[in-house]
Amino acid sequence: MITGKNFIGFTPSANGTKTYKTFNPQTNVENEDVFTEATSEEINQAVALATEAFKTFSKTSGTDKAAFLNAIADEIMALETLVETYCKESGLPEGRAMGERGRTVGQLRAFANLVTEGSWVEATIDTAQPAREPMPKPDLRKMNIGLGPVVVFGASNFPLAYSTAGGDTAAALAAGCPVIVKSHPMHAGTGELIASAVIKAAKKTNMPDGVFSNINSSGIEVGQQLVSHPGVKAVGFTGSIRGGRALYDLAGQREEPIPVFAEMGSVNPVVMLPKALEEKSEAWAKTYASSITLGTGQFCTNPGLLFGVKSDALTQFVDVLAKEIVEIAPSCMLHPNIKGAYDKNKDRALQQEAITVVANYEGDVKPNYAQQTVITVDGATFLENTTLHQELFGPFSMVVQCESLEELEHIIYKLEGQLTGTLLAAEGEAETCPEIVNAVQNRVGRIIFNGVPTGVEVCPAMVHGGPYPASTDSRFTAVGTQSIKRWVRPFSYQDWPENLLPEALQDANPLGVLRLVNGVETRDKI
Ligand code: NAP
């Protein structure tokens, strides 16, 4: 049952007076449940509990953390009204809800496996050399440890996989960091249900009170207070550049600055090489009509920019894309505000000089349904007008028609940082233009060959991040088990007694983890 309360640690709490409701974009009416925004005192309590919980949770064994993470996954699967609530708060279809739930549970279990195996701590041991001249060498042993309480901002476009118990939360808990979730107001009920599953799992597996809190809010003040709080040691965020940047700046102004790992806007350039289009322009156009409209274009990896060199094949690509994309039935956006932003930003794009609208769904649509649009522009105009470089969240894409591959390369270098880049190439064609591949690599976190950027695999080799503003720190990924590295710091023990060392650093290596011992990777004991 949804109560509308916050979880301050294990305790449901609603001491505030500011309330709000979620909205069903499919029916275009407010949902019934009433949520109470957290007060300053409740936020302080949540941080105080997390600070206390960190003392023991940071020392919890991998096996016990794995039991907690697996129990969260089990409790999520046992939630009876989750899918229904998800759909009525997001307008997304049931199939997507179930898929995202599967991904969320899969992420939790992947982190459980990671901490059970244990090598993620990157144990590094340099044994002492007492006889070294002119100075003896001390014994040094390094491993990763948790940063402290982490605040996670739920994402509007992934109510499960990037929200309450999504990737950021799973990674932070795996690292031994208590998590305080700033629930996304558009899906507060989904968030509360998931939070109840996390709390149940925490109690069942004897985790400390405060290991997890869920904070309701309908305005930016709650997030600001959380990010400014001295007890908070890191922040995870997915959303707009404006929101992410504001929080990043706020964290930097604190007396003790803290890292904000914000995953923000991306237009995901696709470079279509000439021969690829000569051979398969029609097939690629059909594929991209689907990719641009997938999930109503509300994916951070949505292909918003398509680059080609002017040719008959590029013209054919544009013609087929324009024809195919308006054949696809429009779908619902997450919230009237997201739809409003789409319409406003699209209007602004359509008002730019020297652009051509080649496809614009003209049929009637239900409220909150988005009309898909494709425009074209030449390379020189695009280069000059940086308004056209901005993310347009929704089923929109722009084909940039360049004069030459040299112009295309030049433009790619001028793009802001991106999550992904895609290369469409015929057999042997990519080898002929390494400079284009270099340009794309310079601007993105992941490069895709002959595919589409939508669809993000969750695995250790995934990089979901990229140069700013795709993310605030391109050295880290937000997806996959390597994302745990955002929530840890390296820590060294010097000449520390064997019996006081964590197991991963003890001579006997009781956990059997992979370690770097005197420069050699091994699972052997010392
Ligand atoms: P958002 O406006 O960035 O908000 C995300 C979260 O951050 C919300 O919980 C919001 O709180 C909070 N927030 C925003 N600005 C803040 C500030 N200055 N200080 C403190 N907290 C702040 O994103 P959204 O509401 O999810 O969606 C709006 C737009 O963001 C979309 O239309 C789209 O353009 C973009 N977006 C992009 C992606 C992507 O993957 N590229 C994903 C999601 C959204 P409140 O809601 O409580 O104010």
Side-chain angles (χ1 to χ4, degrees):
M1 198 191 86
I2 293 169
T3 65
K5 293 184 178 178
N6 307 276
F7 277 106
I8 307 302
F10 292 165
T11 311
S13 178
N15 296 339
T17 50
K18 192 172 167 194
T19 58
Y20 61 100
K21 291 180 172 184
T22 59
F23 194 88
N24 186 334
Q26 287 282 6
T27 56
N28 204 29
V29 290
E30 269 189 336
N31 293 308
E32 280 173 7
D33 302 308
V34 179
F35 298 88
T36 305
E37 182 166 296
T39 61
S40 279
E41 290 72 36
E42 285 170 318
I43 292 169
N44 287 338
Q45 277 169 23
V47 180
L49 280 170
T51 304
E52 196 54 35
F54 181 62
K55 293 177 186 167
T56 51
F57 187 57
S58 57
K59 305 284 179 214
T60 300
S61 72
T63 321
D64 288 350
K65 281 188 291 187
F68 177 32
L69 292 164
N70 280 323
I72 299 173
D74 294 342
E75 294 296 339
I76 289 175
M77 291 311 291
L79 289 169
E80 281 174 12
T81 55
L82 180 66
V83 169
E84 180 196 321
T85 307
Y86 171 109
C87 294
K88 76 175 189 193
E89 291 186 333
S90 68
L92 294 168
E94 196 179 305
R96 160 75 191 268
M98 310 241 276
E100 204 182 317
R101 183 181 59 180
R103 174 171 165 172
T104 307
V105 164
Q107 287 173 166
L108 288 158
R109 297 201 192 286
F111 280 105
N113 292 340
L114 185 82
V115 293
T116 303
E117 194 281 326
S119 301
W120 69 274
V121 298
E122 296 177 344
T124 305
I125 298 174
D126 291 301
T127 52
Q129 293 172 15
R132 190 181 71 172
E133 291 292 348
M135 296 276 285
K137 182 182 175 194
D139 181 281
L140 277 159
R141 301 183 182 218
K142 179 181 81 138
M143 65 181 279
N144 293 328
I145 61 169
L147 280 177
V150 168
V151 166
V152 171
F153 282 73
S156 57
N157 59 342
F158 277 91
L160 297 175
Y162 284 99
S163 288
T164 322
D168 286 351
T169 297
L173 293 176
C177 300
V179 170
I180 301 168
V181 170
K182 203 297 252 174
S183 164
H184 199 290
M186 291 179 193
H187 47 75
T190 306
E192 186 188 325
L193 289 175
I194 295 284
S196 71
V198 179
I199 301 292
K200 234 176 169 179
K203 286 182 182 167
K204 271 190 183 170
T205 54
N206 299 316
M207 293 297 139
D209 190 5
V211 70
F212 180 85
S213 289
N214 187 53
I215 303 287
N216 290 331
S217 85
S218 60
I220 63 173
E221 297 77 14
V222 166
Q224 287 172 336
Q225 191 189 333
L226 281 165
V227 172
S228 310
H229 199 296
V232 170
K233 300 301 175 197
V235 177
F237 172 92
T238 302
S240 66
I241 295 178
R242 206 169 62 163
R245 182 61 200 242
L247 295 170
Y248 182 84
D249 290 344
L250 190 62
Q253 286 156 13
R254 290 169 39 130
E255 195 172 318
E256 178 197 352
I258 53 168
V260 173
F261 297 100
E263 192 249 278
M264 304 176 290
S266 181
V267 278
N268 305 297
V270 178
V271 175
M272 308 181 290
L273 292 178
K275 272 195 200 152
L277 285 187
E278 269 168 39
E279 287 179 11
K280 287 176 68 175
S281 65
E282 195 173 331
W284 281 125
K286 288 180 179 170
T287 302
Y288 270 86
S290 300
S291 179
I292 293 162
T293 51
L294 190 71
T296 328
Q298 301 169 116
F299 289 124
C300 40
T301 51
N302 191 58
L305 265 186
L306 309 167
F307 290 96
V309 175
K310 285 178 182 170
S311 68
D312 290 346
L314 181 61
T315 305
Q316 199 201 2
F317 172 86
V318 171
D319 290 348
V320 179
L321 175 63
K323 181 174 152 288
E324 291 290 327
I325 203 161
V326 292
E327 301 278 311
I328 294 170
S331 48
C332 191
M333 296 201 90
L334 295 157
H335 192 273
N337 293 353
I338 301 260
K339 167 69 162 54
Y342 174 63
D343 287 342
K344 191 172 120 226
N345 294 333
K346 191 165 78 168
D347 282 350
R348 193 177 54 180
L350 299 190
Q351 279 162 20
Q352 303 302 307
E353 274 176 24
I355 61 105
T356 308
V357 181
V358 292
N360 196 18
Y361 188 89
E362 301 286 359
D364 287 342
V365 288
K366 292 203 246 171
N368 307 317
Y369 276 53
Q371 284 142 312
Q372 54 269 39
T373 302
V374 176
I375 66 173
T376 60
V377 65
D378 65 61
T381 306
F382 178 80
L383 199 53
E384 217 166 81
N385 186 350
T386 49
T387 301
L388 297 172
H389 298 210
Q390 309 307 316
E391 179 186 44
L392 214 162
F393 196 67
F396 174 91
S397 198
M398 183 180 342
V399 184
V400 182
Q401 300 171 311
C402 302
E403 295 297 332
S404 62
L405 279 177
E406 288 71 30
E407 183 184 49
L408 197 158
E409 178 196 346
H410 180 63
I411 295 173
I412 298 283
Y413 273 115
K414 296 287 179 191
L415 292 178
E416 292 184 323
Q418 309 288 336
L419 292 170
T420 75
T422 303
L423 196 73
L424 306 185
E427 179 86 38
E429 195 177 16
E431 290 82 333
T432 64
C433 47
E435 59 288 347
I436 300 273
V437 179
N438 270 348
V440 178
Q441 185 176 39
N442 176 274
R443 299 287 67 218
V444 312
R446 172 166 61 107
I447 190 164
I448 297 134
F449 189 73
N450 279 345
V452 292
T454 37
V456 180
E457 189 65 36
V458 182
C459 63
M462 173 53 70
V463 173
H464 192 68
Y468 184 87
S471 70
T472 44
D473 195 334
S474 61
R475 294 170 298 172
F476 299 91
T477 175
V479 171
T481 45
Q482 298 272 323
S483 66
I484 196 171
K485 293 190 178 175
R486 295 170 301 163
W487 314 124
V488 298
R489 62 187 174 99
F491 182 85
S492 273
Y493 293 88
Q494 183 168 330
D495 290 332
W496 206 242
E498 170 79 5
N499 63 318
L500 294 182
L501 283 169
E503 284 182 308
L505 297 179
Q506 290 172 5
D507 281 355
N509 193 13
L511 301 175
V513 296
L514 190 64
R515 313 193 288 188
L516 191 68
V517 179
N518 296 325
V520 178
E521 273 198 318
T522 174
R523 289 183 191 270
D524 293 347
K525 60 183 174 192
I526 295 171

PDB file of all heavy atoms in Angstrom, residues 13 55 118 153 164 199 261 290 326 329 334 343 379-380 436 462 467 470:
ATOM      1  N   SER A  13       7.648   8.298   7.809  1.00  0.00           N
ATOM      2  CA  SER A  13       7.553   9.601   8.481  1.00  0.00           C
ATOM      3  C   SER A  13       6.953  10.616   7.521  1.00  0.00           C
ATOM      4  O   SER A  13       7.309  10.654   6.339  1.00  0.00           O
ATOM      5  CB  SER A  13       8.972  10.013   8.899  1.00  0.00           C
ATOM      6  OG  SER A  13       8.970  11.265   9.514  1.00  0.00           O
ATOM      7  N   LYS A  55      29.249   3.485   9.916  1.00  0.00           N
ATOM      8  CA  LYS A  55      30.301   2.949  10.792  1.00  0.00           C
ATOM      9  C   LYS A  55      30.341   1.427  10.733  1.00  0.00           C
ATOM     10  O   LYS A  55      31.411   0.835  10.737  1.00  0.00           O
ATOM     11  CB  LYS A  55      30.079   3.419  12.243  1.00  0.00           C
ATOM     12  CG  LYS A  55      30.270   4.913  12.417  1.00  0.00           C
ATOM     13  CD  LYS A  55      29.972   5.336  13.864  1.00  0.00           C
ATOM     14  CE  LYS A  55      30.034   6.850  13.992  1.00  0.00           C
ATOM     15  NZ  LYS A  55      29.456   7.319  15.259  1.00  0.00           N
ATOM     16  N   GLY A 118      34.667 -10.428  -4.511  1.00  0.00           N
ATOM     17  CA  GLY A 118      35.526  -9.604  -3.658  1.00  0.00           C
ATOM     18  C   GLY A 118      36.688  -8.864  -4.305  1.00  0.00           C
ATOM     19  O   GLY A 118      37.258  -7.964  -3.693  1.00  0.00           O
ATOM     20  N   PHE A 153      19.733  10.778  -6.809  1.00  0.00           N
ATOM     21  CA  PHE A 153      18.540  11.427  -7.388  1.00  0.00           C
ATOM     22  C   PHE A 153      17.897  10.455  -8.374  1.00  0.00           C
ATOM     23  O   PHE A 153      18.531  10.049  -9.346  1.00  0.00           O
ATOM     24  CB  PHE A 153      18.941  12.708  -8.129  1.00  0.00           C
ATOM     25  CG  PHE A 153      19.204  13.871  -7.228  1.00  0.00           C
ATOM     26  CD1 PHE A 153      20.350  13.934  -6.460  1.00  0.00           C
ATOM     27  CD2 PHE A 153      18.293  14.917  -7.136  1.00  0.00           C
ATOM     28  CE1 PHE A 153      20.590  15.000  -5.605  1.00  0.00           C
ATOM     29  CE2 PHE A 153      18.518  15.993  -6.296  1.00  0.00           C
ATOM     30  CZ  PHE A 153      19.669  16.038  -5.522  1.00  0.00           C
ATOM     31  N   THR A 164      15.141   4.525  -7.385  1.00  0.00           N
ATOM     32  CA  THR A 164      15.258   4.182  -5.962  1.00  0.00           C
ATOM     33  C   THR A 164      16.248   3.049  -5.649  1.00  0.00           C
ATOM     34  O   THR A 164      17.101   3.193  -4.785  1.00  0.00           O
ATOM     35  CB  THR A 164      13.856   3.817  -5.421  1.00  0.00           C
ATOM     36  OG1 THR A 164      12.918   4.703  -6.050  1.00  0.00           O
ATOM     37  CG2 THR A 164      13.785   3.965  -3.934  1.00  0.00           C
ATOM     38  N   ILE A 199      13.766  -1.562   2.533  1.00  0.00           N
ATOM     39  CA  ILE A 199      13.722  -1.552   4.003  1.00  0.00           C
ATOM     40  C   ILE A 199      13.433  -2.975   4.535  1.00  0.00           C
ATOM     41  O   ILE A 199      14.079  -3.436   5.482  1.00  0.00           O
ATOM     42  CB  ILE A 199      12.622  -0.571   4.516  1.00  0.00           C
ATOM     43  CG1 ILE A 199      12.885   0.860   4.021  1.00  0.00           C
ATOM     44  CG2 ILE A 199      12.483  -0.624   6.031  1.00  0.00           C
ATOM     45  CD1 ILE A 199      14.076   1.553   4.586  1.00  0.00           C
ATOM     46  N   PHE A 261      28.376  12.728  -9.430  1.00  0.00           N
ATOM     47  CA  PHE A 261      28.431  11.976 -10.677  1.00  0.00           C
ATOM     48  C   PHE A 261      27.093  12.164 -11.385  1.00  0.00           C
ATOM     49  O   PHE A 261      26.116  11.476 -11.092  1.00  0.00           O
ATOM     50  CB  PHE A 261      28.733  10.501 -10.392  1.00  0.00           C
ATOM     51  CG  PHE A 261      30.077  10.314  -9.751  1.00  0.00           C
ATOM     52  CD1 PHE A 261      30.192  10.122  -8.384  1.00  0.00           C
ATOM     53  CD2 PHE A 261      31.233  10.378 -10.511  1.00  0.00           C
ATOM     54  CE1 PHE A 261      31.431   9.982  -7.782  1.00  0.00           C
ATOM     55  CE2 PHE A 261      32.485  10.241  -9.919  1.00  0.00           C
ATOM     56  CZ  PHE A 261      32.578  10.046  -8.557  1.00  0.00           C
ATOM     57  N   SER A 290      12.898   3.593 -36.138  1.00  0.00           N
ATOM     58  CA  SER A 290      12.502   2.884 -34.899  1.00  0.00           C
ATOM     59  C   SER A 290      13.314   3.372 -33.711  1.00  0.00           C
ATOM     60  O   SER A 290      12.765   3.597 -32.624  1.00  0.00           O
ATOM     61  CB  SER A 290      12.749   1.377 -35.026  1.00  0.00           C
ATOM     62  OG  SER A 290      12.029   0.869 -36.072  1.00  0.00           O
ATOM     63  N   VAL A 326       6.943   8.777 -39.824  1.00  0.00           N
ATOM     64  CA  VAL A 326       5.560   9.225 -39.585  1.00  0.00           C
ATOM     65  C   VAL A 326       4.554   8.074 -39.669  1.00  0.00           C
ATOM     66  O   VAL A 326       3.382   8.238 -39.345  1.00  0.00           O
ATOM     67  CB  VAL A 326       5.148  10.390 -40.525  1.00  0.00           C
ATOM     68  CG1 VAL A 326       5.914  11.649 -40.187  1.00  0.00           C
ATOM     69  CG2 VAL A 326       5.315  10.024 -41.979  1.00  0.00           C
ATOM     70  N   ALA A 329       3.205   4.913 -34.871  1.00  0.00           N
ATOM     71  CA  ALA A 329       2.164   5.549 -34.041  1.00  0.00           C
ATOM     72  C   ALA A 329       2.818   6.346 -32.915  1.00  0.00           C
ATOM     73  O   ALA A 329       3.687   5.822 -32.208  1.00  0.00           O
ATOM     74  CB  ALA A 329       1.258   4.479 -33.455  1.00  0.00           C
ATOM     75  N   LEU A 334       6.458  10.953 -20.533  1.00  0.00           N
ATOM     76  CA  LEU A 334       6.421  10.592 -19.119  1.00  0.00           C
ATOM     77  C   LEU A 334       5.514  11.485 -18.274  1.00  0.00           C
ATOM     78  O   LEU A 334       4.981  11.055 -17.252  1.00  0.00           O
ATOM     79  CB  LEU A 334       7.832  10.678 -18.533  1.00  0.00           C
ATOM     80  CG  LEU A 334       8.843   9.677 -19.093  1.00  0.00           C
ATOM     81  CD1 LEU A 334      10.267  10.177 -18.891  1.00  0.00           C
ATOM     82  CD2 LEU A 334       8.653   8.330 -18.421  1.00  0.00           C
ATOM     83  N   ASP A 343       7.849  20.093 -26.718  1.00  0.00           N
ATOM     84  CA  ASP A 343       7.206  20.998 -27.690  1.00  0.00           C
ATOM     85  C   ASP A 343       7.937  22.338 -27.764  1.00  0.00           C
ATOM     86  O   ASP A 343       8.166  22.877 -28.844  1.00  0.00           O
ATOM     87  CB  ASP A 343       5.729  21.209 -27.320  1.00  0.00           C
ATOM     88  CG  ASP A 343       4.888  19.972 -27.628  1.00  0.00           C
ATOM     89  OD1 ASP A 343       5.356  19.115 -28.413  1.00  0.00           O
ATOM     90  OD2 ASP A 343       3.783  19.850 -27.069  1.00  0.00           O
ATOM     91  N   GLY A 379      26.054  21.358 -43.088  1.00  0.00           N
ATOM     92  CA  GLY A 379      27.138  21.325 -42.105  1.00  0.00           C
ATOM     93  C   GLY A 379      27.517  22.713 -41.610  1.00  0.00           C
ATOM     94  O   GLY A 379      27.688  22.919 -40.398  1.00  0.00           O
ATOM     95  N   ALA A 380      27.654  23.680 -42.521  1.00  0.00           N
ATOM     96  CA  ALA A 380      28.124  25.020 -42.135  1.00  0.00           C
ATOM     97  C   ALA A 380      27.129  25.674 -41.175  1.00  0.00           C
ATOM     98  O   ALA A 380      27.524  26.283 -40.172  1.00  0.00           O
ATOM     99  CB  ALA A 380      28.317  25.880 -43.383  1.00  0.00           C
ATOM    100  N   ILE A 436      38.115  10.092 -38.773  1.00  0.00           N
ATOM    101  CA  ILE A 436      36.715  10.232 -38.324  1.00  0.00           C
ATOM    102  C   ILE A 436      36.513   9.422 -37.042  1.00  0.00           C
ATOM    103  O   ILE A 436      35.892   9.880 -36.079  1.00  0.00           O
ATOM    104  CB  ILE A 436      35.732   9.718 -39.415  1.00  0.00           C
ATOM    105  CG1 ILE A 436      35.888  10.506 -40.713  1.00  0.00           C
ATOM    106  CG2 ILE A 436      34.292   9.692 -38.900  1.00  0.00           C
ATOM    107  CD1 ILE A 436      35.073  11.755 -40.804  1.00  0.00           C
ATOM    108  N   MET A 462      30.779  -2.273 -20.068  1.00  0.00           N
ATOM    109  CA  MET A 462      29.976  -1.129 -20.537  1.00  0.00           C
ATOM    110  C   MET A 462      30.539   0.184 -20.003  1.00  0.00           C
ATOM    111  O   MET A 462      30.944   0.272 -18.840  1.00  0.00           O
ATOM    112  CB  MET A 462      28.526  -1.301 -20.047  1.00  0.00           C
ATOM    113  CG  MET A 462      27.611  -0.109 -20.307  1.00  0.00           C
ATOM    114  SD  MET A 462      27.586   0.430 -22.039  1.00  0.00           S
ATOM    115  CE  MET A 462      26.728  -0.914 -22.852  1.00  0.00           C
ATOM    116  N   PRO A 467      32.699  12.547 -22.005  1.00  0.00           N
ATOM    117  CA  PRO A 467      33.124  13.917 -21.709  1.00  0.00           C
ATOM    118  C   PRO A 467      31.929  14.811 -21.399  1.00  0.00           C
ATOM    119  O   PRO A 467      30.830  14.594 -21.913  1.00  0.00           O
ATOM    120  CB  PRO A 467      33.822  14.345 -23.010  1.00  0.00           C
ATOM    121  CG  PRO A 467      34.237  13.075 -23.678  1.00  0.00           C
ATOM    122  CD  PRO A 467      33.192  12.066 -23.318  1.00  0.00           C
ATOM    123  N   ALA A 470      27.964  15.031 -21.136  1.00  0.00           N
ATOM    124  CA  ALA A 470      27.336  13.706 -21.027  1.00  0.00           C
ATOM    125  C   ALA A 470      27.435  13.236 -19.579  1.00  0.00           C
ATOM    126  O   ALA A 470      26.494  12.658 -19.035  1.00  0.00           O
ATOM    127  CB  ALA A 470      28.034  12.720 -21.964  1.00  0.00           C
TER     128      ALA A 470
END
